[in-house]
Amino acid sequence: MKRLSSYLAFFLVCFQTIAQKTTKVEVDATKPLVTIQPTMYGIFFEDINFAADGGLYAELIKNRSFEFEYPWMAWKHLPEAETRFNTQNELTIYNNSKGNPNNPRVVRVDKRDEKKSLGLQNEGFDGIGIKKGEKYDFSALARLNRGSISLLVEILNSKDQVIGSTVLNLLGSNWQKIEGVITATDTDPKCKINVFFKGAGQLDIDMISLFPQDTWKGRKGGLRKDLVQLLADLKPGFVRFPGGCIVEGRTLAERYQWKKTVGKIENRQQIVNRWNMEFKHRPAPDYYQTFGLGFFEYFLMCEDIGATPLPILSCGLACQFNSSEMQPLEELDPFVQDALDLIEFANGGTDTKWGALRAEMGHPAPFNLQMLGVGNEQWGEEYFERYAIISKAIHAKYPNIKIISGTGPASDGELFEQAEKELPKLNAQIVDEHYYKEPQWFRDNATRYDNYDRNRYKIFAGEYAAQSSAVASPENKNNWECALSEAAYLTGLERNADVVYMTSYAPLFAHVNRWQWTPDLIWFDNLTSFGTANYFVQKLYANNAGTKTIGIKSNGQNLTGKDGLYGAASVDEKSNEVIIKLVNTSADAQRIDLNISGLGVKTNGKVISMVEKDLKNYNTITEPSKIVPTESVISIEKGKTMLTLEPYSFKVYRIKK
Ligand code: AHR
């Protein structure tokens, strides 16, 4: 009986193998075709979904400087009392606008009774994530106006047990930074912090802050290590920053102004985050931008992870989905100046105004800025007129800076066609196309750039993501169908690397409890983070880009989706390898009769595979490794081999030439 069933199993395997379709695929590694730009696969960063404050920026205190619209937001008075009915006047907001006009509010503590308990409690960003054994830097700016007051700072876990504390003394009536270190005795993603005022007297306090010491590169007041590591692992060619619609602002006053994000942290003027109430179904009234992660920190991170910076600047036109507020054309000077000064901040000598500030902040060497974008996702005459003025002024002073221009919110339709017509007249160099489309669109459009005009501008696929439900729908999931469709689409971008110079998935980050927009590449909570299947697709492309494309064909045709088969191939001239990417979007396994010309007699390599039977499956914070790449080895004789592509699979082959 046992023998019979193994015979049956054997015949079944044989039958399936015969039934599988075999496709002959020819790869020509003897003729490198076009250069793949080092910027081909990059990152789009925007402070959406608590990506910066509450995310990448490792500050654990929310509303640390009491500048939210309601100053006590995220804070409780201790002993617990309604912050609105503060009848004792022991904890009040004092306006210190003469002392610091950018950050005027401080808390005035008037403690009359030495024996009475008085303090403040902060809730953090959906709690404070604390790890056992780790050290945390507490700090605040304070001045003692009279009497004698010390601070008892405690971290409480979600059971309200104290899991670390420190005591800090205040010395005098000048503003001073008080600092202490707390070592935690428990791990909990939902901690709180108490700051008790001991003694009697009056003090003013501001910038109450708590950071893990274990940040990216151990920088004080730095970035979350696990999140930067996920970015570094992508080996991105560039980082686009700060977005996204956040560049434009809902109104011009709320636009992103880089000059307000550099210099001393306490002097950076915070503003409301434009995503705080954008979606009724995901309101976030406590979402502000402290700019603790500002332009200096951004440039530094790019340098750390070996990516070219790509700042996107306001063109004097607020978000056209919101107010469309316009700066008059004859009053665009501040916007022009912002662009010129940013280039000086990044690249200027330390004898220039903005170069000197960069040096003062700790980086005398230039950041080597080579490109920037004028306007994000803007459209119509209003955009082109403003773009023309700003880009002309930039090129007059800095002819070598590459400028990115926008084509509006969609990669087709009237607005897009208008941009395609107008931008060449403005000598556009690289244009930013956005596609938030259904997965099928990605599978159907792998040929999008095959017949693009080679004599026009270059393409930056600056924001894209397959939407499993509908654009920006809260139902969207980072599922395997989306990731696989993106993998299929990317074969077309890579094949057309002579036109497509840059690509980036968007948005990048989302807090699992505080997001506004989904899908997103990387998700995190207060302690951990994980890459989606889409993240691993990006990673496989970015880590295996190669330097020049080579031909990959079946029956003389590119692999663009016939029978669900897509392909791209390149050579890496540095490592002397052939890189082949194959995507099978069909429900059937496919046999590939592969013939690579230009390989040695016997060559070895590796295969990196992503295979998942269930298209609706996706990684989660509790099961982050459901869909991850696996690696195996391959050896090839005389350039010939038979491969099997499982149903719904994406594979990268790296073979020594
Ligand atoms: O990625 C999210 C948003 O999508 C960006 O801010 C905007 O540019 C686009 O509409």
Side-chain angles (χ1 to χ4, degrees):
M1 192 61 194
K2 203 167 159 209
R3 178 168 288 189
L4 184 65
S5 61
S6 42
Y7 277 139
L8 274 174
F10 175 73
F11 284 121
L12 197 62
V13 170
C14 291
F15 175 73
Q16 278 171 345
T17 311
I18 294 161
Q20 274 165 17
K21 194 173 173 306
T22 301
T23 307
K24 275 186 181 262
V25 172
E26 308 279 337
V27 174
D28 186 355
T30 62
K31 268 195 238 120
L33 300 171
V34 301
T35 299
I36 299 171
Q37 299 297 318
T39 51
M40 183 71 179
Y41 300 107
I43 288 176
F44 163 96
F45 178 90
E46 175 166 24
D47 190 3
I48 183 171
N49 306 317
F50 285 79
D53 289 292
L56 187 57
Y57 183 49
E59 173 65 89
L60 296 168
I61 306 287
K62 186 165 72 188
N63 194 13
R64 66 183 173 191
S65 60
F66 308 94
E67 302 297 333
F68 283 19
E69 189 184 355
Y70 177 57
W72 291 121
M73 197 173 221
W75 293 96
K76 254 186 200 164
H77 290 182
L78 298 174
E80 218 167 298
E82 254 291 2
T83 49
R84 283 179 303 152
F85 304 118
N86 182 15
T87 50
Q88 303 295 307
N89 276 345
E90 288 169 314
L91 295 167
T92 48
I93 298 290
Y94 179 80
N95 193 297
N96 178 37
S97 56
K98 283 227 174 82
N100 188 345
N102 291 340
N103 174 12
R105 292 190 196 134
V106 307
V107 170
R108 175 149 290 181
V109 180
D110 238 319
K111 185 139 188 281
R112 292 160 210 133
D113 182 350
E114 201 177 5
K115 296 198 197 86
K116 205 177 147 187
S117 166
L118 184 69
L120 285 170
Q121 183 177 84
N122 191 272
E123 65 186 31
F125 296 88
D126 191 44
I128 297 176
I130 296 289
K131 287 187 189 155
K132 185 176 173 177
E134 302 251 323
K135 290 190 164 56
Y136 293 84
D137 288 332
F138 174 87
S139 69
L141 293 178
R143 65 180 173 192
L144 186 62
N145 300 330
R146 59 171 182 269
S148 157
I149 298 185
S150 60
L151 265 57
L152 167 64
V153 184
E154 296 173 343
I155 298 178
L156 309 183
N157 64 12
S158 46
K159 292 183 212 124
D160 279 342
Q161 294 157 334
V162 176
I163 58 163
S165 64
T166 184
V167 173
L168 305 167
N169 291 313
L170 270 165
L171 292 177
S173 59
N174 289 331
W175 280 104
Q176 60 208 266
K177 187 167 184 183
I178 47 175
E179 296 174 275
V181 176
I182 302 175
T183 305
T185 56
D186 192 12
T187 296
D188 197 322
K190 301 254 183 192
C191 294
K192 294 174 279 221
I193 188 168
N194 286 344
V195 180
F196 285 107
F197 306 103
K198 299 278 181 192
Q202 187 191 72
L203 74 81
D204 292 333
I205 188 162
D206 196 10
M207 295 297 288
I208 301 180
S209 167
L210 185 74
F211 271 92
Q213 283 192 351
D214 190 21
T215 56
W216 171 254
K217 290 200 178 279
R219 291 198 185 108
K220 262 192 178 294
L223 305 182
R224 222 174 107 165
K225 191 169 142 183
D226 58 330
L227 296 181
V228 186
Q229 190 59 57
L230 279 163
L231 302 186
D233 292 346
L234 284 173
K235 301 196 183 136
F238 65 91
V239 181
R240 172 186 179 142
F241 180 94
C245 292
I246 217 160
V247 170
E248 308 155 1
R250 293 183 295 209
T251 60
L252 284 176
E254 287 170 5
R255 73 187 189 276
Y256 196 103
Q257 298 185 59
W258 76 265
K259 285 177 183 160
K260 297 189 177 181
T261 75
V262 292
K264 284 197 179 134
I265 287 276
E266 61 271 24
N267 296 343
R268 301 183 191 178
Q269 189 181 17
Q270 76 169 34
I271 58 171
V272 71
N273 185 301
R274 57 118 24 314
W275 295 106
N276 74 341
M277 299 302 276
E278 183 76 17
F279 295 121
K280 285 204 185 71
H281 54 272
R282 302 288 302 175
D286 55 344
Y287 200 1
Y288 284 74
Q289 291 178 271
T290 61
F291 299 117
L293 162 52
F295 255 82
F296 180 81
E297 293 76 16
Y298 155 61
F299 281 138
L300 206 56
M301 184 185 81
C302 288
E303 184 175 86
D304 290 343
I305 64 179
T308 295
L310 168 54
I312 307 285
L313 298 182
S314 164
C315 65
L317 185 52
C319 181
Q320 288 164 285
F321 289 114
N322 298 141
S323 72
S324 290
E325 187 181 351
M326 271 179 268
Q327 183 79 355
L329 287 179
E330 51 296 349
E331 291 170 33
L332 273 180
D333 274 5
F335 293 79
V336 168
Q337 204 53 50
D338 268 3
L340 299 179
D341 290 343
L342 180 65
I343 300 169
E344 185 177 294
F345 179 68
N347 296 350
T350 52
D351 53 346
T352 61
K353 176 177 168 194
W354 293 102
L357 176 61
R358 185 191 68 236
E360 197 184 306
M361 291 183 76
H363 201 284
F367 281 120
N368 191 20
L369 178 66
Q370 296 164 16
M371 52 174 86
L372 56 76
V374 175
N376 169 46
E377 195 177 65
Q378 324 231 232
W379 61 81
E381 269 315 298
E382 299 77 8
Y383 173 55
F384 304 122
E385 297 169 326
R386 283 164 182 76
Y387 171 85
I389 294 172
I390 301 174
S391 59
K392 196 167 156 210
I394 296 173
H395 273 159
K397 187 154 184 198
Y398 297 106
N400 295 330
I401 290 283
K402 291 253 172 338
I403 301 183
I404 314 284
S405 11
T407 57
S411 53
D412 46 25
E414 218 179 293
L415 298 176
F416 180 74
E417 283 159 22
Q418 188 190 8
E420 278 194 311
K421 219 166 70 205
E422 294 305 318
L423 289 172
K425 295 185 206 157
L426 299 171
N427 300 322
Q429 298 175 292
I430 305 180
V431 313
D432 179 12
E433 297 190 355
H434 293 181
Y435 4 87
Y436 294 103
K437 303 275 195 185
E438 63 281 6
Q440 181 73 45
W441 183 93
F442 285 85
R443 301 197 291 274
D444 290 347
N445 281 276
T447 53
R448 180 179 172 88
Y449 298 106
D450 287 356
N451 299 312
Y452 243 56
D453 184 349
R454 261 55 190 170
N455 300 313
R456 247 186 345 187
Y457 42 66
K458 304 297 175 193
I459 300 295
F460 170 27
E463 291 185 31
Y464 69 87
Q467 315 282 300
S468 66
S469 176
V471 182
S473 158
E475 301 309 321
N476 285 331
K477 296 280 180 281
N478 283 97
N479 68 29
W480 181 231
E481 182 183 6
C482 291
L484 189 67
S485 306
E486 288 152 10
Y489 182 71
L490 284 170
T491 57
L493 303 196
E494 196 168 285
R495 178 172 56 251
N496 289 288
D498 56 329
V499 178
V500 183
Y501 272 25
M502 308 166 80
T503 62
S504 47
Y505 182 100
L508 179 65
F509 283 126
H511 189 292
V512 290
N513 301 328
R514 307 302 315 280
W515 55 271
Q516 292 80 49
W517 179 298
T518 179
D520 304 283
L521 203 62
I522 295 167
W523 291 75
F524 59 90
D525 64 12
N526 286 349
L527 291 176
T528 58
S529 49
F530 70 95
T532 56
N534 316 68
Y535 169 87
F536 291 108
V537 165
Q538 293 291 318
K539 186 173 166 186
L540 292 197
Y541 269 91
N543 287 199
N544 299 288
T547 51
K548 290 229 164 74
T549 63
I550 52 175
I552 173 165
K553 306 218 180 232
S554 178
N555 281 328
Q557 302 296 315
N558 292 330
L559 306 179
T560 59
K562 188 171 175 292
D563 300 323
L565 183 63
Y566 298 80
S570 58
V571 281
D572 186 326
E573 293 152 311
K574 287 173 250 157
S575 63
N576 200 27
E577 282 168 298
V578 174
I579 303 168
I580 300 171
K581 301 181 182 91
L582 289 172
V583 183
N584 178 14
T585 63
S586 81
D588 300 316
Q590 305 211 29
R591 301 258 302 156
I592 305 291
D593 182 356
L594 183 68
N595 189 356
I596 310 170
S597 49
L599 282 197
V601 177
K602 194 163 179 172
T603 50
N604 297 316
K606 66 177 175 187
V607 190
I608 314 160
S609 309
M610 292 186 74
V611 184
E612 168 59 45
K613 282 193 215 97
D614 182 355
L615 287 174
K616 300 289 166 236
N617 213 352
Y618 56 92
N619 293 343
T620 64
I621 197 94
T622 45
E623 285 183 278
S625 307
K626 283 200 252 178
I627 311 171
V628 292
T630 54
E631 243 183 76
S632 55
V633 292
I634 185 171
S635 68
I636 299 185
E637 284 190 28
K638 297 182 188 151
K640 289 186 200 305
T641 188
M642 287 297 269
L643 306 172
T644 299
L645 294 178
E646 294 86 341
Y648 307 135
S649 58
F650 167 40
K651 301 208 172 191
V652 179
Y653 303 84
R654 277 195 88 111
I655 304 149
K656 279 274 170 213
K657 264 182 101 183

